[in-house]
Amino acid sequence: MTTLVWDYLAEYEEERDDILDAVDHVFRSGRLVLGNSVRSFEEEFAAYHGVAHGVGVDNGTNAVKLGLQALGVGPGDEVITVSNTAAPTVVAIEGTGAKPVFVDVRAEDYLMDTAQVEAAVTDRTRCLLPVHLYGQCVDMEPLREIAGRHGLAVLEDCAQAHGATHHGRSAGSMSDAAAFSFYPTKVLGAYGDGGAVITSGAETADALRQLRYYGMAERYYVVRSPGHNSRLDEVQAEILRRKLRRLDQYVQGRRAVAERYAEGLGDTELVLPRTTPGNEHVYYVYVVRHPRRDAVIEALKSYDIMLNISYPWPVHTMSGYAHLGYAEGSLPVTESLAGEIFSLPMYPSLSPDVQDKVIDALREVLRTV
Ligand SMILES: *Cc1c(COP(=O)(O)O)cnc(C)c1O
């Protein structure tokens, strides 16, 4: 059987009764849109993070976009983020009419280099948008300090960091608002699309509820424009409620997989993920580095192992973002990583046998490339 970086079928077999029960629960409830399951999930998801409010939305991209809009970001503003991210982070910024401004990442953990942020602040800057990429958190203390000094909002992109902590605090609880995706591959994944924003600000939460519901404060009366139809689906919300109870277990499963890779590959040329002090990593993706990455990936295909690169192109080098005006070489760490990184299979139900097959194949391939 082909080995892929992510697969949910074994997990589904284990959880099938519960998932199907969740679907039936909603279908029998008499309320198919914005019902009790969305409301309960919002409360439970916010409580998990120790923040006051949760607002379910239709996907992670819109979680970032509506989160920014609820914090007052709009046309003409600038939002400081990284180019080493999933393109949707940047899609969401541009969706508000604001301009993305990039700083480089650190070579040790591939995360926002917060030492570069202050120099990127202009009088148009409105918000800082750290991305807790691959499963661990950006250093939030310097960002909060810069934001405080310049009167900026901070929004965390937590699409890859469900369950991660930073000096004991949950990813998503360290800023004005935090955006999550429940795309199936994520650490907490739905059976389809989903997203949420959490915030301790009551006004921000109200704004989010309006923004996702056509801009309406109550039925049929618009108070905010532009509005969106960005509701979290009721069925996905009920599935997510069930899965949220197992989130810590999923994270433990991912950590066990990471430990086995560290044992099996720690003495090879591969650069394995490093957990930055103060962080607890949830290994959304297990990103490794090798100077001849393309040859390694190619050779593994003959073992029926199909790996992935997250991400092969830094956002600022894509043709769709040429208008942002970043020359090649402008973000050197981000650009050099993109040529060397690749991801090993990582999901909680990955069996030790399959994982050992990957480790053995990699050890063989690394001797020859
Ligand atoms: C997945 C992801 C998103 C987008 O989430 P969708 O639910 O796919 O829209 C945004 N930011 C990051 C960092 C992501 O990994």
Side-chain angles (χ1 to χ4, degrees):
M1 243 199 24
T2 305
T3 304
L4 302 168
V5 285
W6 181 79
D7 184 14
Y8 72 96
L9 289 171
E11 182 181 291
Y12 181 58
E13 282 313 312
E14 230 171 88
E15 302 185 356
R16 188 165 174 266
D17 290 346
D18 193 36
I19 302 296
L20 293 180
D21 184 67
V23 176
D24 191 51
H25 175 87
V26 171
F27 286 2
R28 285 182 141 171
S29 73
R31 179 97 191 245
L32 298 173
V33 175
L34 289 188
N36 285 328
S37 294
V38 167
R39 184 161 354 100
S40 300
F41 174 68
E42 289 174 339
E43 286 170 11
E44 290 156 11
F45 192 65
Y48 177 90
H49 295 90
V51 306
H53 310 280
V55 179
V57 295
D58 51 350
N59 57 61
T61 308
N62 285 337
V64 177
K65 178 172 142 184
L66 272 58
L68 290 171
Q69 288 178 324
L71 295 175
V73 173
D77 292 335
E78 292 177 355
V79 175
I80 299 175
T81 191
V82 287
S83 174
N84 186 39
T85 183
T89 308
V90 179
V91 171
I93 294 170
E94 289 204 312
T96 69
K99 184 183 155 198
V101 172
F102 301 121
V103 296
D104 213 345
V105 294
R106 305 192 291 203
E108 317 87 80
D109 57 11
Y110 319 144
L111 298 173
M112 176 182 261
D113 184 352
T114 57
Q116 297 186 21
V117 169
E118 190 139 34
V121 173
T122 71
D123 53 10
R124 289 175 175 252
T125 308
R126 186 78 185 232
C127 187
L128 307 180
L129 205 175
V131 182
H132 301 321
L133 201 71
Y134 304 146
Q136 68 173 332
C137 293
V138 173
D139 267 343
M140 292 302 292
E141 296 75 15
L143 286 186
R144 277 204 305 269
E145 196 193 297
I146 294 164
R149 219 170 319 120
H150 295 272
L152 309 174
V154 183
L155 182 133
E156 294 163 79
D157 183 339
C158 294
Q160 305 196 357
H162 316 67
T165 64
H166 180 66
H167 297 294
R169 295 182 67 178
S170 294
S173 70
M174 300 179 282
S175 59
D176 299 298
F180 289 84
S181 164
F182 306 118
Y183 185 77
T185 63
K186 308 291 186 183
V187 179
L188 179 60
Y191 278 72
D193 278 306
V197 185
I198 60 174
T199 177
S200 46
E203 276 176 35
T204 304
D206 283 345
L208 282 161
R209 285 181 210 288
Q210 294 165 359
L211 285 165
R212 72 163 176 197
Y213 189 67
Y214 317 114
M216 290 177 183
E218 55 184 306
R219 240 170 138 190
Y220 308 141
Y221 193 87
V222 170
V223 295
R224 193 180 284 273
S225 169
H228 312 271
N229 178 356
S230 283
R231 300 178 290 242
L232 175 61
D233 182 75
E234 186 73 1
V235 173
Q236 298 301 342
E238 185 60 30
I239 292 171
L240 287 164
R241 289 188 68 199
R242 314 288 177 106
K243 292 192 70 176
L244 177 60
R245 296 167 198 153
R246 297 188 283 271
L247 173 55
D248 292 339
Q249 191 183 309
Y250 299 141
V251 169
Q252 287 316 315
R254 286 174 179 272
R255 287 195 183 129
V257 171
E259 248 169 65
R260 201 175 184 88
Y261 278 136
E263 279 163 25
L265 298 168
D267 60 342
T268 66
E269 273 177 273
L270 285 179
V271 180
L272 304 184
R274 233 196 55 167
T275 303
T276 297
N279 277 347
E280 286 199 283
H281 207 309
V282 295
Y283 300 101
Y284 167 58
V285 273
Y286 192 88
V287 172
V288 298
R289 239 163 84 204
H290 191 279
R292 289 177 303 287
R293 180 263 320 269
D294 293 341
V296 174
I297 290 184
E298 193 51 39
L300 284 168
K301 287 181 185 162
S302 65
Y303 296 82
D304 217 10
I305 297 169
M306 303 295 161
L307 299 187
N308 202 27
I309 303 170
S310 297
Y311 297 92
W313 305 283
V315 173
H316 71 282
T317 67
M318 296 181 189
S319 63
Y321 293 112
H323 61 278
L324 295 176
Y326 285 84
E328 226 180 285
S330 54
L331 298 167
V333 180
T334 298
E335 289 168 37
S336 79
L337 287 176
E340 296 193 344
I341 52 175
F342 62 108
S343 313
L344 305 188
M346 171 55 82
Y347 47 95
S349 60
L350 180 64
S351 76
D353 285 355
V354 174
Q355 205 188 343
D356 287 344
K357 182 186 106 176
V358 173
I359 291 170
D360 293 344
L362 256 171
R363 295 189 68 93
E364 268 182 53
V365 162
L366 288 171
R367 275 196 286 273
T368 58
V369 294

